């Protein structure tokens, strides 16, 4: 796409150059001030800023611009110059004092042939990419957004024998803050504690996920503002350009307004530094969208506050998808998790104040809460410090995805109270699980019909740079990166800093089914600090080889993860020590994955159990009884009807922590003491000669 625009840009000036030697019709840059001017009044900024304070308290769209009505056409404004060769040029100047940037909203935008529309400042500098017939969408609406400056010249060049363009600018957006204009402010207008998404090591583990996140220039009625959202995959894996954000970003937005939304991908610094100017960072955008479904709750007042749109227009879906998949965009369709289980640790990726892409991380558990009247509609969490800072959220972050540690979207930002001066104040995200089916019964009030169009009832979905490449098979073994049969063999050689290491295997619901190493690292990885608090129950020794055969309890897509407290993986050699390594092998002992050296703060991979290990619920000939359930001080585990031999019993809490382990001498009735257990849900795992069996009970 970029090459095509470059070609057209060069073509434009080649055509201009041919006529300049013959005619004076092409206006020199020094004479741009002579162009007929449309003067637009400056809005009442004092009143606007007072309104913004109230808007942000009420959780409304982070506004950056207000529109001014206009009626600018090629027939009633500006002037025309006609050339001897039949080409023609139209110019009009638009001025509105004090604006950081102007956005020109076209209710009619049709260009033909090799016609080119450009927008410049009075120094002749382009302030928007040249627009051609390739920018014409079937609804004929367009938005030339965020043209830096308050006194600009629009120029339309039409070659000879080309049909006249159809141009109507019915509104001009006066953008007064958070535009990224380097002449008004530095590009980095968000709060100082925010962390760039490409900072290392914190951003290293999120390089795929961040490529699906985009900032949104929202047009809503007579306002413009910033929000954030993400591309999302679906079970048909057909590359539908579905994009998920928050309803409050566009609760009052018409379909016409949505035609003028703009989605900026890859608007990010390439490293941890803040650039002084955007340069070409904002060149990668998709114009327009249309509504697919939303929570119909007024923006979280009585639900989970989601909005699902499709990028582009229905008629140009193929063009939109090809643009997203192009090397200029390299967009990523993010995966998701639709179950209601809490997440321990993860990240939010967002555009605070419309700034370059930032990342905030958390180590604790998400807590179920509500934003409005609907109970349990939101996740609440507090951000944690990391090796690169302590990110928070701001206006403009709304709608951004919350990822669990497996890189799956589990929520979308509604709002909260985190600031740089109060970084641990909580933020609230509408639950993906609530978005799924809980906001209403109609298809346009739920996510499931759109993200699970195959009706697979999948609770998780992986992400992809090209989900339609595999023919759209839906979730299954192919969605997992690795496969094994019932057993995953884990082989670890520790480095010189073994207390920094923690290994964990979770099922698709986020339940920990196996772990080793320093469990305290799980919520504090990538700190850039030495000497983590040790977990004595699972201590690992330096420079030691460990080999584990991990039994996978059911057919599922598991996530294997290794975490490092400091954030340098197993890469001790860079500090004068000895590197470690980790190998995963399938049930036959064949190596299927290797992690070595400095992998950063964490590394993970998904593993499919293709063996279909059977749980007790599926074995009608085997009955295990656990009673009383709920229990108070003890439980009885009755193994007398179990046909296979039991070897041991283990009890785990909801975090996957081992609470007790018991050897089974014979398949009888065992009484297990619970007096030291806190109230809550627990899991009983019975290891047998055939397959592990898992049951649950509640401690009062």
């Amino acid at each position: 796409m970029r090459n095509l625009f470059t070609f057209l840009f060069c073509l434009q000036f080649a055509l201009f150059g041919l006529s300049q030697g013959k005619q004076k019709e092409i206006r020199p840059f020094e004479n741009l001030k002579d162009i007929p001017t449309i003067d637009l009044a400056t809005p009442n900024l004092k009143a606007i800023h007072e309104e913004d304070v109230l808007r942000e308290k009420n959780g409304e769209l982070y506004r950056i611009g207000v529109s001014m009505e206009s009626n600018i056409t090629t027939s009633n404004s500006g002037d025309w110059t006609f050339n001897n060769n039949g080409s023609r040029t139209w110019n009009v100047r638009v001025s509105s004092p004090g604006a950081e940037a102007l956005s020109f909203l076209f209710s009619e935008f049709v260009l033909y042939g090799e016609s080119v529309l450009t927008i410049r400042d009075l120094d002749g500098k382009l302030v928007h990419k040249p627009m051609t017939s390739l920018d014409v969408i079937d609804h004929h609406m367009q938005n030339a957004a965020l043209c830096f400056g308050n006194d600009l010249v629009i120029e339309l060049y039409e070659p000879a024998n080309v049909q006249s363009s159809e141009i109507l600018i019915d509104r001009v957006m006066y953008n007064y803050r958070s535009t990224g204009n380097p002449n008004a402010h530095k590009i980095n207008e968000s709060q100082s504690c925010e962390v760039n998404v490409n900072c290392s090591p914190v951003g290293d583990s999120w390089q795929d996920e961040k490529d699906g996140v985009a900032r949104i220039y929202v047009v809503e009625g007579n306002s413009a503002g910033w929000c954030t959202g993400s591309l999302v995959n679906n079970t048909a894996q057909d590359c539908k350009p579905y994009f998920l954000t928050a309803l409050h970003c566009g609760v009052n937005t018409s379909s016409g307004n949505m035609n003028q939304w703009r989605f900026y991908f890859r608007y990010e610094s390439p490293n941890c530094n803040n650039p002084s100017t955007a340069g070409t960072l904002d060149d990668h955008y998709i114009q327009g969208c249309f509504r697919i479904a939303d929570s119909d709750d007024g923006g979280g007042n009585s639900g989970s506050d989601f909005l699902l749109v499709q990028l582009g227009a229905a008629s140009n879906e193929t063009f939109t998808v090809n643009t997203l998949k192009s090397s200029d965009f390299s967009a990523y369709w993010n995966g998701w998790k639709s179950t209601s289980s809490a997440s321990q640790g993860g990240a939010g990726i967002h555009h605070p104040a419309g700034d370059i892409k930032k990342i905030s991380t958390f180590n604790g558990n998400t807590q179920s809460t509500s934003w409005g009247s609907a109970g349990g509609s939101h996740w609440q969490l507090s951000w944690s410090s990391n090796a690169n800072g302590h990110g928070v959220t701001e206006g403009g972050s709304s709608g951004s995805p919350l990822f669990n540690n497996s890189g799956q979207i589990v929520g979308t930002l509604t709002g909260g109270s985190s600031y740089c001066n109060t970084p641990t104040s909580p933020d609230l995200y509408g639950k993906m699980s609530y978005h799924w089916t809980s906001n209403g019964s109609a298809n346009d009030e739920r996510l499931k019909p759109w993200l699970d169009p195959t009706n697979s009832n999948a609770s998780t979905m992986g992400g992809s740079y090209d989900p339609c490449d595999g023919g759209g098979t839906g979730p299954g073994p192919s969605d997992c990166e690795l496969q094994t049969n019932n057993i995953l063999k884990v082989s670890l050689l520790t480095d010189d800093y073994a207390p920094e290491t923690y290994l964990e295997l979770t099922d698709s619901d986020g339940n920990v089914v196996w772990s080793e190493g320093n469990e305290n690292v799980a919520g504090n990885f990538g700190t850039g600090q030495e000497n983590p608090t040790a977990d004595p129950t699972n201590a690992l020794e330096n420079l030691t080889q460990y080999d584990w055969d991990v039994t996978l309890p059911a057919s599922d897509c598991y996530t294997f993860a290794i975490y490092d407290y400091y954030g340098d993986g197993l890469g001790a050699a860079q500090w004068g020590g000895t590197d470690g390594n980790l190998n995963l092998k399938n049930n036959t002992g064949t190596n299927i994955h290797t992690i070595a050296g400095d992998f950063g703060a964490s590394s993970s991979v998904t593993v499919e159990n293709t063996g279909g290990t059977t749980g007790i619920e599926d074995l009608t000939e085997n009955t295990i009884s656990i009673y009383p359930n709920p229990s108070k001080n003890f439980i009885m585990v009755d193994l007398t009807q179990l046909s296979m031999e039991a070897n041991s019993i283990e009890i785990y809490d909801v975090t996957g922590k081992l609470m007790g382990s018991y050897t089974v001498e014979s398949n009888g009735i065992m009484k297990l003491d619970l007096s030291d257990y806190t109230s809550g849900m627990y899991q009983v795992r019975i290891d047998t000669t055939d397959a592990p069996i898992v049951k649950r009970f509640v401690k009062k």
Side-chain angles (χ1 to χ4, degrees), residues 680-691:
M681 179 78 72
Y682 291 86
Q683 196 176 78
V684 180
R685 177 188 170 103
I686 301 101
D687 283 324
T688 74
T689 54
D690 187 356

Side-chain angles (χ1 to χ4, degrees), residues 32 45 67 159 344 398 455 480 530 587:
L32 292 179
L45 293 179
S67 69
Q344 182 179 22
S398 288
N455 202 30
C480 268
E530 298 183 25
N587 54 290

Side-chain angles (χ1 to χ4, degrees), residues 1-9 109-117 129-138 141-142 285 287 316 319-320 323:
M1 179 65 74
R2 179 184 291 173
N3 291 336
L4 180 58
F5 276 117
T6 301
F7 169 77
L8 292 169
F9 180 74
F109 184 86
V110 185
L111 305 181
Y112 298 96
E114 295 177 346
S115 297
V116 181
L117 186 142
K129 291 195 303 183
M131 304 175 74
T132 72
S133 59
L134 294 176
D135 297 291
V136 176
I137 306 173
D138 62 342
M141 302 181 74
Q142 188 55 259
Y285 59 80
Q287 180 67 44
N316 71 348
F319 177 82
T320 299
T323 300

